[in-house]
Amino acid sequence: MKPKQQRLALVGVALAVIAGASTLAVSALGETATYFYSPSDVLAKGVAPGEAIRLGGLVEPGSVAREGATILFRVTDNAQQTAVRYTGIIPDLFREGQGVIAEGKFGADGTFVADSVLAKHDENYMPPEVAGALHKTKTAAEAGE
Amino acid sequence: MHRFANPARFLKIARVATPITALLGLALLAAGLGLGLFSSPPDYLQGESVRIMYVHVPTAWFGMGGYLFVALASAAFLVWRHPLADVAARAAAPVGATFTAVCLMTGALWGRPTWGTYWVWDARLTSMLVLLFLYLGYIALANAYDDRERGGRAAAILALVGVVNLPIIKFSVEWWNTLHQPASIRMSGSSIHPEMLQPLLLAALGFQLIFAATVLMRMRTALAGQVIAARAARLAGAHG
């Protein structure tokens, strides 16, 4: 082999090794790199009261209740639900059916007490008129059922 | 490939290509950002802050694309030892780093009103920050040696190792739960309304051409600097 081909082979082998190593590293990271747990994850893992975690999912429609500055709602992943209590300023994007991430711990009564609440944005971008039209179609379809 | 690796031939092509890419890029950028920042509709949820997307998304794409370019040029330099590949990688790195920094800053400014926070350590944001550090590491390492060739080779190896970060950035939003949303533009289509998608794609093309034009300019400057240095060395030798 000419030196050039040797170097090409060396770079190729090195890249393959690095790719293999990082695949192992990424799969070993697994859950550790996850930013939040869904209600199903929480149930499967069995999070102890007082353990600090982040809980994420959708705000269950119809579950939001306010008591002064305190807001109560349920987070759902369409399989399991978790009740959340939070006192403080809620992001503007917080609304029923939208993604949300609550940081805090479970209380003794099984309610998740959040210290902070972040709104999650999804990958859909559209003008208000389009969103309104979509909403109307959906409502009409639901009414027609 | 070696035909284009000839610096004299490269300079001949670059002299013509630089103004064309720069002007075309500026025109497309003006069109894309003009439409995006002024005449495109606001978003139904984010309101006016959706306009940050027209800068954030293109800079994210070419921050990553720029790194791929640096890595490919580095591989070519390591294998074929051609100096022009090193010049290209060194020229692109600061431009890519700037794009990545702009992406991170615009993302923070968008995150505050939308998510409720400037920054979280989720997989997407963290891996993008790692990309910025890879760029900075490459630049530092490339200039750390008195012997330019050695610095170039050490930095090229770093650039190649760092390539693993690109798929991690891309798929972070699918592999892990993240605060950052998944990709809107996929093979199967886009979940961005056409009235917003068109300015975004125009701006993206503009940013890409500006990126290319800046790299071409930096490569020409670097090559001119080498010519001057060689001439100065010859003159010093003649007088000495």
Side-chain angles (χ1 to χ4, degrees), chain A residues 37-44 55-58 75-77 79-82:
Chain A
Y37 295 119
S38 67
S40 298
D41 294 338
V42 168
L43 202 72
L55 173 76
L58 303 173
V75 167
T76 175
D77 55 7
Q80 299 293 333
Q81 292 79 30
T82 308

Side-chain angles (χ1 to χ4, degrees), chain B residues 13-27 209-210 213 216:
Chain B
I13 297 170
R15 195 160 23 234
V16 185
T18 312
I20 295 176
T21 17
L23 290 177
L24 201 59
L26 282 175
L209 289 174
I210 297 287
L216 284 174

Side-chain angles (χ1 to χ4, degrees), chain B residues 37-59:
Chain B
L37 299 184
F38 300 107
S39 42
S40 75
D43 181 68
Y44 77 116
L45 271 184
Q46 306 159 47
E48 302 291 341
S49 48
V50 69
R51 300 186 196 285
I52 296 173
M53 167 180 77
Y54 301 110
V55 177
H56 177 75
V57 172
T59 50

Side-chain angles (χ1 to χ4, degrees), chain A residues 4 7-8 18 22 30 33-36 91 93 95 98 101 118-128 130-131, chain B residues 41-46 50 78-81 114-115 117 120 164 176-179 181-182 184 191-193 196:
Chain A
K4 197 196 298 172
R7 291 197 295 267
L8 187 59
I18 293 164
S22 47
T34 212
Y35 191 67
F36 62 86
L93 246 68
R95 61 193 71 193
Q98 280 289 319
I101 296 175
L118 299 177
K120 205 164 140 52
H121 191 267
D122 62 17
E123 67 272 34
N124 298 307
Y125 293 71
M126 57 187 133
V130 178
Chain B
D43 181 68
Y44 77 116
L45 271 184
Q46 306 159 47
V50 69
L78 284 176
V79 174
W80 286 283
R81 297 268 163 94
T114 316
W115 294 333
T117 179
V120 293
V164 297
W176 299 291
N177 290 335
T178 53
L179 179 57
Q181 60 271 31
S184 296
S191 56
I192 301 179
H193 193 267
M196 300 171 169

Side-chain angles (χ1 to χ4, degrees), chain B residues 83-154:
Chain B
L84 193 66
D86 183 41
V87 170
R90 285 171 188 260
V95 189
T98 310
F99 271 54
T100 308
V102 170
C103 169
L104 288 167
M105 287 188 283
T106 49
L109 294 177
W110 180 84
R112 187 67 189 86
T114 316
W115 294 333
T117 179
Y118 287 111
W119 183 264
V120 293
W121 293 98
D122 82 346
R124 171 54 75 81
L125 276 62
T126 309
S127 56
M128 202 62 189
L129 186 66
V130 169
L131 181 70
L132 179 63
F133 291 157
L134 280 170
Y135 270 125
L136 298 182
Y138 174 89
I139 296 166
L141 196 54
N143 298 305
Y145 292 82
D146 288 333
D147 180 1
R148 186 186 157 88
E149 176 98 13
R150 280 186 71 182
R153 224 174 296 156

